[in-house]
Amino acid sequence: MKVFICITLILFSFMMTTAFAEDSPNKSCKNAAELYEDDDLAGAIEEAQWCLDLLKQEQAAKVTSIFPDTVMGFSGSELESQNAMGFSSTVRNYNKDNKRISATLSGSSGGMMNAFSSIAQLGMNTGMGQKMRIQKRTAMVMADGNTMKIMVTLKKGGMLMFESKNITKEEIIAFAKAFPIAELDDSRS
């Protein structure tokens, strides 16, 4: 009985690996086009949605791969990503000694991303902190008690925020300048 269960599990895992290996945006998009040509609109829509989901997964993997493992001696923890209703957030905490800096990439898809960026830019124009340029992007440095924040408006839409409760303004600015902001932003096209 145990041998049968083991063989079944091995075969099932092999089938699942094969199924996942066959899923690619290229294949799904071609399948959607073929279904459309065959007048199967419902099937074409479902396959096109699957193609879009796979493309979004690839883009998210590309973006998260740019979050460095270390920045200025700060070691990055595991990445945390969330996606809901067209809004995405990727967070990585960086630790060094007793200091922690949180890097959060936030944004949304399509027109919502542009609206999100516009609202963020409007907030930066209210003068609630020190406005500066970091890697040719507009940033706002803010202090709230012992919490330091830098919000960077990305050219492709969205925001990258650095936040810490136990470092100086100079340290968080140096960290933001060392972070691959431009590369991260450009990867989101």
Side-chain angles (χ1 to χ4, degrees), residues 26-77:
N26 189 24
K27 186 173 180 178
S28 282
C29 292
K30 285 179 182 177
N31 287 343
E34 289 171 7
L35 290 167
Y36 177 77
E37 289 295 321
D38 293 341
D39 289 327
D40 181 358
L41 292 179
I45 290 170
E46 182 178 346
E47 196 66 21
Q49 185 59 51
W50 184 243
C51 171
L52 183 59
D53 289 345
L54 291 172
L55 287 169
K56 287 180 180 178
Q57 286 176 10
E58 276 190 23
Q59 184 180 35
K62 183 179 176 184
V63 169
T64 57
S65 72
I66 295 172
F67 273 77
D69 291 332
T70 59
V71 178
M72 294 178 45
F74 285 81
S75 299
S77 64

Side-chain angles (χ1 to χ4, degrees), residues 155-170:
K155 292 180 179 181
K156 306 285 180 164
M159 297 288 294
L160 182 60
M161 183 169 70
F162 302 98
E163 182 175 10
S164 182
K165 293 185 180 196
N166 57 356
I167 65 169
T168 66
K169 177 179 171 181
E170 291 74 24

Side-chain angles (χ1 to χ4, degrees), residues 2-167:
K2 288 181 183 180
V3 172
F4 175 75
I5 292 172
C6 287
I7 291 172
T8 303
L9 288 173
I10 290 169
L11 288 174
F12 180 71
S13 68
F14 175 74
M15 289 176 7
M16 291 303 292
T17 303
T18 303
F20 286 125
E22 291 176 4
D23 279 344
S24 74
N26 189 24
K27 186 173 180 178
S28 282
C29 292
K30 285 179 182 177
N31 287 343
E34 289 171 7
L35 290 167
Y36 177 77
E37 289 295 321
D38 293 341
D39 289 327
D40 181 358
L41 292 179
I45 290 170
E46 182 178 346
E47 196 66 21
Q49 185 59 51
W50 184 243
C51 171
L52 183 59
D53 289 345
L54 291 172
L55 287 169
K56 287 180 180 178
Q57 286 176 10
E58 276 190 23
Q59 184 180 35
K62 183 179 176 184
V63 169
T64 57
S65 72
I66 295 172
F67 273 77
D69 291 332
T70 59
V71 178
M72 294 178 45
F74 285 81
S75 299
S77 64
E78 290 294 317
L79 280 166
E80 300 171 28
S81 294
Q82 297 178 357
N83 243 330
M85 298 173 48
F87 184 80
S88 64
S89 173
T90 303
V91 179
R92 188 166 208 181
N93 293 312
Y94 290 88
N95 300 292
K96 177 180 167 184
D97 302 325
N98 291 327
K99 299 177 179 182
R100 172 182 280 193
I101 299 174
S102 175
T104 305
L105 173 65
S106 302
S108 53
S109 59
M112 291 213 28
M113 177 132 10
N114 294 334
F116 180 76
S117 265
S118 296
I119 291 169
Q121 189 66 38
L122 180 65
M124 288 185 159
N125 290 331
T126 62
M128 295 173 27
Q130 176 190 351
K131 201 170 186 179
M132 65 184 312
R133 299 283 283 168
I134 299 177
Q135 297 179 32
K136 299 181 183 175
R137 281 137 182 97
T138 303
M140 179 69 73
V141 181
M142 297 170 286
D144 181 15
N146 67 341
T147 301
M148 293 299 306
K149 293 181 186 179
I150 296 180
M151 293 190 336
V152 182
T153 302
L154 302 175
K155 292 180 179 181
K156 306 285 180 164
M159 297 288 294
L160 182 60
M161 183 169 70
F162 302 98
E163 182 175 10
S164 182
K165 293 185 180 196
N166 57 356
I167 65 169

